[in-house]
Amino acid sequence: MSHPSGEFCAKESLTEEVRKVIDHTVTVHTMRPESVDEGRVWLETNFREAQATIAPTGAKLSSQRLYRSPQARVTFETTRWNRLIDYPARDMTITVEAGMTWRELCALLDVEGQQLPLDVLEGEATIGGLVAAGFCGPRQYGYGTIRDYLLGFSGFTADGLLFQAGGRVVKNVAGYDLAKLMCGSRGTLALLTQCTFKLKPQPVQWSWVLTTWETWEDLEPALERLLFSDTRPVAVDVLQRAALPPVGNELTLAILLEGSQVSLDWEVQTIRKELSNLGPTELLVVSEDRQTAHADRLMTRLLGSQRQQPYELMVSLTSSKLVALAEQFPETTRIMGRGLDGTLLLSWNEPPAPHELAAGLASLIESASLAGHPQEATWEWTRWPDNSIPPPANRSHDASSSRWSLTLKQQLDPLGLFNPSVLDLRCGKPWPENL
């Protein structure tokens, strides 16, 4: 018996569990396609028949509930798409499927002494999830964010169309750089299948210079001095109540240097000279190398400390206002800031009291508005427990960046099937009231 090509053939190739979603026999379902082709068939059929809303996910570590839409009927996991596609080590690029874990990627790169410098704590985080989250870590000051390393990608639109952007070489200027728009898109624009990154050599050794300070007012001149330092730090973090050995909960300026032993000796000595006369209460140096166990590295402990509290607010502002904002919050607030990048991560064990947030953030809006730059400061919740809905980001949906994101969403996902309402949250709109 012959069958017409198209609908029946596509549906015939689906597994029974996928057919249940298409036929509306389940309300919430997890889809784990074995292959990219199976995923394509499911998306095509879903778009044509059920039009179920979809939350693309990997290991569910890079995106908390606030970036997994509660409207989605299907959780689409890409963890089985974990193959190495291409690794020309001499070209210092690598192409992998989006479901490959961070641990698997690092194991491949370690063999060649190379790295994707992102400072990821969870080894089970998927590459696609890191891209969708727009991941950045403490070393973004020296290395940049994942956006600076993504050369190209392939992915599905909601109707199952596989498309590509960018390429597999570093020098590629053909067409619009759509790959950059995938970084931080939170699974709202496309479902990633492959990613290509440029790489960096691994450092052989590195040193942390940890200085402690009595007050934020005392620490601020040190940040200003580092702007004109003769050294080249790859990370400059400010920490309050970080519980970081060996400084504990002291107000700390943490500076990370990488290089050869000769260069590190010179840079550490230079930092000592530049900061010692500014009045730190303590100056410590912690030296590590590739032989240092991963769990014992100061970076691992720093990232682990950052993850201990369930509520986290990320504030982006000009670096000159970072200390002024940090001073507005009580000493009980855990603060981790990228000192020279203008990013503050504020975290709490319990939802912060409205007056506690208002003290800092309201004054920040006022100062930005008075300066004639109303979009100079933005913030959004980057961690929030699963049992409640977070406030929207402080980002005007009338801003050009928000308008462009919403326009692109309309082009790539006109039915709004991928992570519905999540882009609205990021563009400053609240969740729909019926959720």
Side-chain angles (χ1 to χ4, degrees):
M1 182 177 182
S2 62
H3 303 292
S5 62
E7 178 179 339
F8 183 86
C9 293
K11 199 167 183 178
E12 187 177 48
S13 66
L14 299 176
T15 62
E16 183 62 30
E17 65 176 32
V18 178
R19 201 174 284 119
K20 290 178 181 179
V21 180
I22 300 300
D23 295 336
H24 296 276
T25 57
V26 294
T27 55
V28 179
H29 189 77
T30 297
M31 172 61 182
R32 299 184 185 91
E34 292 286 348
S35 66
V36 171
D37 189 58
E38 181 183 341
R40 175 188 59 78
V41 172
W42 188 91
L43 289 169
E44 288 177 347
T45 311
N46 177 66
F47 186 83
R48 189 169 55 248
E49 298 184 18
Q51 296 186 353
T53 49
I54 303 163
T57 63
K60 302 180 183 178
L61 296 173
S62 301
S63 301
Q64 291 70 38
R65 174 188 164 91
L66 66 165
Y67 296 124
R68 293 200 301 271
S69 173
Q71 292 175 300
R73 287 185 54 227
V74 177
T75 297
F76 195 109
E77 291 189 7
T78 60
T79 50
R80 293 175 180 174
W81 302 349
N82 58 359
R83 296 179 303 155
L84 170 66
I85 302 301
D86 189 24
Y87 185 15
R90 291 186 178 182
D91 295 337
M92 299 193 73
T93 65
I94 190 169
T95 302
V96 298
E97 288 189 320
M100 177 175 284
T101 66
W102 177 252
R103 182 177 291 110
E104 291 168 338
L105 177 65
C106 289
L108 292 170
L109 300 181
D110 283 346
V111 175
E112 300 292 341
Q114 296 177 348
Q115 63 166 335
L116 183 59
L118 295 181
D119 307 320
V120 180
L121 178 64
E122 301 93 346
E124 296 308 308
T126 62
I127 301 307
L130 295 173
V131 172
F135 188 87
C136 59
R139 289 190 296 169
Q140 72 179 72
Y141 179 66
Y143 284 104
T145 69
I146 196 169
R147 187 177 185 274
D148 300 297
Y149 292 89
L150 183 64
L151 297 176
F153 75 94
S154 62
F156 286 121
T157 57
D159 60 355
L161 174 66
L162 183 64
F163 71 105
Q164 298 177 342
R168 295 187 182 181
V169 295
V170 174
K171 294 184 178 180
N172 183 2
V173 294
Y176 188 80
D177 196 358
L178 189 61
K180 298 292 187 290
L181 295 176
M182 291 298 113
C183 298
S185 61
R186 306 289 182 178
T188 61
L189 300 179
L191 198 156
L192 297 175
T193 60
Q194 291 183 15
C195 298
T196 298
F197 300 97
K198 65 179 180 181
L199 305 171
K200 291 284 187 181
Q202 288 184 4
V204 177
Q205 49 201 5
W206 54 91
S207 293
W208 287 89
V209 179
L210 306 175
T211 60
T212 59
W213 307 81
E214 289 288 345
T215 67
W216 285 99
E217 184 178 3
D218 295 334
L219 184 149
E220 187 169 21
L223 286 177
E224 294 174 352
R225 181 65 185 87
L226 287 174
L227 285 172
F228 304 99
S229 175
D230 292 330
T231 63
R232 299 185 65 183
V234 295
V236 178
D237 274 20
V238 291
L239 312 171
Q240 176 177 283
R241 298 192 64 80
L244 180 69
V247 294
N249 286 324
E250 297 293 322
L251 180 60
T252 302
L253 176 60
I255 304 163
L256 177 59
L257 306 164
E258 295 179 350
S260 66
Q261 188 61 58
V262 173
S263 67
L264 284 176
D265 288 344
W266 178 85
E267 288 195 278
V268 168
Q269 187 61 31
T270 300
I271 290 287
R272 286 183 181 274
K273 292 179 180 178
E274 293 174 345
L275 300 186
S276 60
N277 64 341
L278 297 178
T281 57
E282 192 172 16
L283 192 153
L284 303 172
V285 178
V286 178
S287 297
E288 300 173 339
D289 57 30
R290 291 185 191 175
Q291 304 307 313
T292 306
H294 190 269
D296 295 334
R297 295 179 183 181
L298 202 62
M299 179 66 78
T300 303
R301 295 178 179 179
L302 176 62
L303 297 173
S305 175
Q306 180 182 333
R307 291 290 184 182
Q308 289 177 0
Q309 295 180 306
Y311 295 87
E312 182 181 79
L313 182 71
M314 183 176 70
V315 183
S316 300
L317 68 165
T318 58
S319 58
S320 61
K321 294 180 180 178
L322 184 142
V323 169
L325 175 61
E327 287 180 314
Q328 303 297 321
F329 292 92
E331 293 183 1
T332 55
T333 303
R334 177 169 292 179
I335 297 178
M336 297 185 179
R338 314 291 181 236
L340 301 181
D341 288 307
T343 300
L344 274 184
L345 298 172
L346 312 167
S347 58
W348 300 266
N349 279 321
E350 300 292 336
H355 70 272
E356 184 176 335
L357 283 178
L361 300 183
S363 63
L364 184 63
I365 296 175
E366 182 180 358
S367 63
S369 299
L370 290 175
H373 302 287
Q375 287 303 304
E376 189 175 5
T378 62
W379 61 83
E380 62 180 306
W381 292 95
T382 48
R383 269 205 311 279
W384 193 273
D386 284 355
N387 59 357
S388 57
I389 299 296
N394 175 61
R395 183 180 290 109
S396 173
H397 57 268
D398 292 326
S400 58
S401 59
S402 297
R403 291 199 307 269
W404 171 245
S405 297
L406 293 168
T407 299
L408 186 62
K409 170 74 169 176
Q410 181 62 33
Q411 294 295 319
L412 294 178
D413 183 19
L415 299 184
L417 299 184
F418 282 148
N419 256 349
S421 299
V422 166
L423 189 59
D424 289 340
L425 180 75
R426 296 210 72 210
C427 291
K429 297 180 180 180
W431 287 110
E433 293 182 359
N434 60 339
L435 295 185

